[in-house]
Amino acid sequence: MNRRIQINHKKIFGTIGWYLLIAVILIITLFPIYWVIGTSFKYQRDFMASPPVYFPKEFTLDHYITAFKMWNTWPYILNSVIISLLATVLIVLLSVPAAYSISKYRVGGAKLQAWLIFQRMLPPVVVIIPIYLIFSKLNLLDTYIGMALPYLIFNIPFAIMMLIGFFSDIPPSLQEAAMIDGCTEIQAMRKVVLPLILPGIVVVILFCFVFVWNDMLIALSLSRQNTQTIILLVAASMQQLTGTYFGMAAAMASFAIIPIFIITLVMQKHLVRGMTMGGVKG
Amino acid sequence: MKLKKKKSKRTSAKKKSYLLISPMGIVSILLTCLPIIYSFYVSMTEYNLTIPNSFQSIIGLKNYVEALQDKDFLNAVLTTLKIGAPALFFEIILGFGFALILNRKFKGRGLVLALMVTPFMIAPGAAALAWRLLFDSRYGPINHILSQIAGKNIVIDWLGAPNIAFKSLTIIDIWQTTPFVMLIILAGLSSISSDVYEAAKVDGASRFQIFRDITLPLVRPILGVAVLFRTIDIIKMFDMCHALTKGGPAGTTTTLSYYIYKQGLAYSRVGYGAALSFITLLVVSALVAIYISRTMKGGSA
């Protein structure tokens, strides 16, 4: 009896300690994000305080208002949204049929798989110089389509590998059954396979959106005045950043962070798969 | 008759499969193969965007010879290693630790994992600003917290001192990427069946023995994948350098990718930049080849 209570004690303290440990890890991990988003809502006296104010008592939306009025942030956000959506739509339109073809007919075999991995891993800096030269000849610099196209290089392989994983989750007998019932292959695909693969497509869309939204190198190289993204604005705001502008710079960075933060929470279940290009199931 | 029908069905399936994949194939050729081939041609020229007709002056492998003698290029490679190698070391250790801690079932596990991964998901360009605020020598909390711990006033110029700035980038990389390494290791851990552990416990194995003899060998292949992924990632490191330090102070945070960008596009020496990027391409191709040969053999990772 006595011994049993002792064991329970040990277990309870173990569990509490374990929860504390996780809390500490989470706090350290999230602190930088808390700090930047927090700064965007702080009054100047709080973000220019020494010692720093960790838990401000008052909040303000002023920095967001000045970010819009003085720095004209809205077009940058719009550019980010347009480019990310455009690239994502193109990626999905090209990847879904390709992934279907690979998973059903084994097109290309191991060689194609190897090529896709290669294309996925390619450092952007390796292709950005020739793409810059080619796009300047084609008058594609500083255009939405020109900004969206380079992202296809790295994200189509990603999307295809993810989708192959999702396709392989669907038992082939389902489609065969539909075809025995008199559906053509395209009908079977549309009525049976597509609805089942739809959640997978949504996951791919969200991931690609995040990848394109976050990019700096390609946007920096191919944009001029008209197609600059919010990420470039944040980077520009950091040149010779003085204390007085902390709040506004933080507000602009928050625009870049918050949508991605939400998407990450939505995609909980699929993070492992996405981060390893569908290679490791989470 | 029957045979013929079967055959025609097969060829039509083949046609269909190629038809479905061809748009992606064409895009792949136009956006990847063509630029790489073109880049190789450009790397053989003295092409400079600010000098007219420099496109036509073909100089063979001269750019490559220059690259191998370019001290700044060598420095950029070394800087990349100096930032990346310690980062990778700590990411593996911490990632493994976190994975062991989180490798059990509990309520809200998905949410905790998602929150932990946010540093990896948000834009490095925006995270750069967060760290700019954290590292600020006057108003930043990091110097303040360190001062509190040490009990005296500590003022470290995290981003401005040449012997510290690259270490700050290492710290940021550890913050950003440990969750990624953790998730990969966690996926590996969860694939080990609990029977194995039970059997080991029955046999009287200690915790350390279980870790050394069961967990580690089973996780090792996936650890290899993580290291390869990360190595290529480090070669790609660009955003932090551009947003946070501009490669400075005194070039101490100019990484490989940033140096190539600067030579090729910022300084308009596209011929030379293309040569540098081609050298990088060879290194990455070798790494990818290792990865592919491993995954195709193992099949699991």
Side-chain angles (χ1 to χ4, degrees), chain A residues 63-173:
Chain A
H63 309 308
Y64 287 89
I65 295 164
T66 30
F68 272 106
K69 279 191 179 156
M70 270 176 58
W71 279 69
N72 206 13
T73 304
W74 179 241
Y76 293 88
I77 297 173
L78 203 63
N79 285 344
S80 278
V81 172
I82 292 172
I83 292 162
S84 305
L85 284 180
L86 187 59
T88 306
V89 167
L90 290 173
I91 290 161
V92 169
L93 283 181
L94 291 164
S95 302
V96 172
Y100 177 78
S101 176
I102 292 170
S103 65
K104 178 120 196 257
Y105 300 107
R106 311 265 153 233
V107 177
K111 273 184 192 152
L112 182 63
Q113 298 265 350
W115 169 257
L116 289 175
I117 293 172
F118 170 75
Q119 201 178 318
R120 168 70 189 162
M121 300 287 221
L122 214 56
V125 79
V126 167
V127 284
I128 198 63
I129 294 174
I131 283 185
Y132 174 86
L133 296 173
I134 294 167
F135 280 18
S136 73
K137 287 207 182 84
L138 298 174
N139 282 326
L140 284 172
L141 292 183
D142 207 21
T143 62
Y144 289 128
I145 185 74
M147 291 276 283
L149 283 176
Y151 298 110
L152 304 194
I153 300 170
F154 323 102
N155 291 313
I156 284 181
F158 168 82
I160 289 177
M161 285 183 224
M162 289 282 281
L163 289 167
I164 289 174
F166 288 117
F167 273 122
S168 69
D169 289 350
I170 301 171
S173 54

Side-chain angles (χ1 to χ4, degrees), chain A residues 18-19 21-22 25-26 28-33 35-36 39 47-52 54 94 97-98 100-102 105 107 110 112-135 137 149 152-153 156 160 185 207 210 214-217 220-221 231 234-235 237-239 241 243 246 249-250 253 256-257 260-261 264-265 267-268 271-272 275-277 279-281, chain B residues 13 16-18 20-21 23-24 27-28 31-36 38-39 42 47 49 55 98 101-102 104 106-107 110-134 136 138-141 144-145 175 179-180 183-184 187-188 222 229 232 235-236 238-239 242-244 246 257 260-261 264-265 270 273-274 277 280-281 284-285 288 291-292 295-296 300-301:
Chain A
W18 180 80
Y19 272 111
L21 200 62
I22 289 189
I25 294 173
L26 267 184
I28 295 173
T29 306
L30 293 175
F31 185 70
I33 298 168
W35 195 256
V36 66
T39 302
F47 66 68
M48 280 180 78
S50 187
Y54 292 92
L94 291 164
Y100 177 78
S101 176
I102 292 170
Y105 300 107
V107 177
L112 182 63
Q113 298 265 350
W115 169 257
L116 289 175
I117 293 172
F118 170 75
Q119 201 178 318
R120 168 70 189 162
M121 300 287 221
L122 214 56
V125 79
V126 167
V127 284
I128 198 63
I129 294 174
I131 283 185
Y132 174 86
L133 296 173
I134 294 167
F135 280 18
K137 287 207 182 84
L149 283 176
L152 304 194
I153 300 170
I156 284 181
I160 289 177
E185 193 186 344
F207 262 110
V210 171
N214 285 349
D215 167 75
M216 183 183 279
L217 176 60
L220 184 71
S221 307
I231 302 296
V234 175
S237 79
M238 286 172 65
Q239 305 317 311
L241 184 68
F246 278 5
I257 292 172
I260 306 306
F261 196 88
T264 307
L265 293 184
M267 287 197 298
Q268 278 179 33
L271 289 171
V272 177
M275 285 180 176
T276 55
M277 321 185 275
V280 181
K281 283 190 189 180
Chain B
K16 225 183 292 170
S17 68
Y18 282 118
L20 285 168
I21 205 163
M24 170 263 155
V27 166
S28 202
L31 283 173
T32 313
C33 303
L34 215 66
I36 288 176
Y38 184 56
S39 170
V42 171
Y47 197 1
L49 292 174
F55 181 59
F98 291 178
I101 292 168
L102 284 161
R104 54 164 108 169
F106 61 94
K107 232 182 153 187
L111 182 66
V112 169
L113 288 181
L115 285 172
M116 282 189 71
V117 177
T118 43
F120 190 72
M121 296 293 284
I122 64 168
L129 182 84
W131 284 93
R132 167 70 185 76
L133 300 176
L134 292 171
D136 191 81
R138 267 177 82 186
Y139 310 116
H144 175 247
I145 291 169
W175 168 77
F180 164 76
L183 265 197
I184 290 192
I222 215 165
F229 267 62
I232 293 171
I235 293 173
K236 292 179 189 167
F238 174 87
D239 301 27
H242 176 71
L244 209 53
K246 285 263 174 235
S257 274
I260 296 173
Y261 166 81
L265 292 177
V270 283
S277 70
T280 311
L281 178 67
V284 171
S285 305
V288 173
Y291 173 73
I292 289 169
T295 45
M296 297 274 172
S300 66

Side-chain angles (χ1 to χ4, degrees), chain B:
Chain B
M1 182 73 184
K2 220 176 177 183
L3 220 131
K4 214 175 177 182
K5 208 175 171 189
K6 220 177 178 179
K7 210 176 172 186
S8 77
K9 210 175 173 184
R10 204 183 295 156
T11 44
S12 87
K14 211 173 178 185
K15 255 189 207 161
K16 225 183 292 170
S17 68
Y18 282 118
L19 203 67
L20 285 168
I21 205 163
S22 54
M24 170 263 155
I26 291 165
V27 166
S28 202
I29 289 166
L30 288 180
L31 283 173
T32 313
C33 303
L34 215 66
I36 288 176
I37 295 165
Y38 184 56
S39 170
F40 186 62
Y41 171 74
V42 171
S43 77
M44 309 282 244
T45 70
E46 222 171 3
Y47 197 1
N48 185 320
L49 292 174
T50 56
I51 303 169
N53 295 327
S54 58
F55 181 59
Q56 280 128 5
S57 58
I58 295 170
I59 52 168
L61 294 172
K62 235 174 159 181
N63 281 327
Y64 290 90
V65 175
E66 186 188 338
L68 296 178
Q69 293 164 342
D70 182 352
K71 265 193 185 146
D72 291 331
F73 179 53
L74 183 70
N75 269 335
V77 173
L78 290 177
T79 302
T80 310
L81 287 174
K82 250 164 57 183
I83 295 170
L88 186 55
F89 175 78
F90 285 109
E91 282 156 15
I92 297 284
I93 303 269
L94 287 172
F96 215 131
F98 291 178
L100 289 174
I101 292 168
L102 284 161
N103 188 31
R104 54 164 108 169
K105 285 198 174 89
F106 61 94
K107 232 182 153 187
R109 185 172 185 266
L111 182 66
V112 169
L113 288 181
L115 285 172
M116 282 189 71
V117 177
T118 43
F120 190 72
M121 296 293 284
I122 64 168
L129 182 84
W131 284 93
R132 167 70 185 76
L133 300 176
L134 292 171
F135 278 142
D136 191 81
S137 44
R138 267 177 82 186
Y139 310 116
I142 289 184
N143 276 343
H144 175 247
I145 291 169
L146 287 178
S147 302
Q148 293 299 97
I149 293 169
K152 59 178 186 214
N153 198 23
I154 291 178
V155 180
I156 297 174
D157 191 1
W158 290 97
L159 300 170
N163 58 340
I164 294 175
F166 70 92
K167 289 177 194 155
S168 304
L169 289 194
T170 299
I171 293 172
I172 298 172
D173 196 76
I174 293 170
W175 168 77
Q176 249 183 328
T177 322
T178 300
F180 164 76
V181 176
M182 174 201 75
L183 265 197
I184 290 192
I185 295 173
L186 205 51
L189 286 178
S190 59
S191 68
I192 304 172
S193 100
S194 56
D195 298 352
V196 183
Y197 288 114
E198 292 299 324
K201 264 186 205 162
V202 170
D203 289 348
S206 72
R207 269 192 176 184
F208 176 71
Q209 278 174 325
I210 291 177
F211 177 78
R212 192 192 58 194
D213 297 333
I214 297 174
T215 313
L216 212 53
L218 284 171
V219 170
R220 235 184 56 192
I222 215 165
L223 219 55
V225 172
V227 170
L228 263 168
F229 267 62
R230 287 294 304 135
T231 310
I232 293 171
D233 262 0
I234 287 161
I235 293 173
K236 292 179 189 167
M237 189 187 284
F238 174 87
D239 301 27
M240 279 294 163
C241 316
H242 176 71
L244 209 53
T245 57
K246 285 263 174 235
T252 49
T253 60
T254 300
T255 57
L256 181 60
S257 274
Y258 193 57
Y259 186 69
I260 296 173
Y261 166 81
K262 262 172 50 179
Q263 288 293 332
L265 292 177
Y267 302 159
S268 303
R269 290 190 64 195
V270 283
Y272 187 53
L276 295 179
S277 70
F278 224 82
I279 295 171
T280 311
L281 178 67
L282 291 180
V283 175
V284 171
S285 305
L287 290 170
V288 173
I290 295 171
Y291 173 73
I292 289 169
S293 71
R294 274 191 166 196
T295 45
M296 297 274 172
K297 237 193 291 165
S300 66

